[in-house]
Amino acid sequence: MQKANINLIKDLKKQKRQNSYLLFLDNIKIIKDSLQKGVKPLYIFAESDKAYLFEDYSNILYIVERKVIEQLSDSKTPQGVVCIAEYLPHIVGKPKTNYLIIDGLQDPGNVGSLIRTACACGFEYVYLVDSVKVTNSKLIRSSVGTIFNIKVMELSRNDFIKLAKQWKLDLLKADMHGVNIFDFSAKDIVGVVVGNEGQGVSKEISSICETSVSIPMKNNVESLNASVSGSIIMYEISKNNFNQ
């Protein structure tokens, strides 16, 4: 165990703003889960009463005061530990299971919730297309660490469209004029496209979607939150897999 000097803390605060491939994890369960999944920790900062939880990492463990945790954490109520880890992005590859495409969605809470549902539904590939960074701490918290269980890949819209055509991907999106999702049956591997809260799926990606599905609603409700609608569609598509 070590003591952190002021220059180290200043440097990490700077990297937090500039280095998109550093994870700043501040939830104890997520930290432990990520370490079990092979995430490489660089520093672990802990208040004295939490240090025992990470005694196996004594060579990178720093005992710090509460104010240091608050400086490095984005949480309003940090748990007394912050782990800074290196994130190794997945190489973009062709999906082998059902998959999720998140198109231009910038809200980290919604994106994290969608990734969590994708993981729960067996969608093992997630493509973040011009969306919030996977290393965003709020995204990680809302995903409850499931980003470490599946392949989450970041790429531009143009690159995704090129690959979708090359791979001949079968894509479907939610649309109020689409087929009722509860009457839809996916014949093979399919990709669910979820778009931006305000504008929906982009015109570019809409143009390559094979199918549109709708979610029936009552009381003149026209649309649902992006993470809610995406989750309903993913569960409906994968419902038969839960009995296997």
Side-chain angles (χ1 to χ4, degrees), residues 179-234:
V179 177
N180 187 324
I181 182 60
F182 301 117
D183 295 329
F184 176 79
S185 178
K187 297 178 181 179
D188 204 347
I189 293 176
V190 67
V192 173
V193 184
V194 178
N196 180 278
E197 290 280 21
Q199 302 173 350
V201 177
S202 65
K203 292 180 180 179
E204 296 89 343
I205 291 185
S206 290
S207 68
I208 61 171
C209 288
E210 296 286 335
T211 311
S212 294
V213 294
S214 61
I215 300 172
M217 289 174 273
K218 295 184 177 181
N219 300 317
N220 297 318
V221 176
E222 294 183 356
S223 64
L224 298 173
N225 172 279
S227 63
V228 173
S229 59
S231 296
I232 291 172
I233 294 170
M234 284 189 282

Side-chain angles (χ1 to χ4, degrees), residues 21-25 34-35 39-43 83-87:
Y21 292 105
L22 277 186
L23 299 172
F24 282 73
L25 308 176
S34 69
L35 295 176
V39 171
K40 181 182 177 182
L42 302 176
Y43 306 94
C83 174
I84 290 91
E86 184 178 27
Y87 180 76

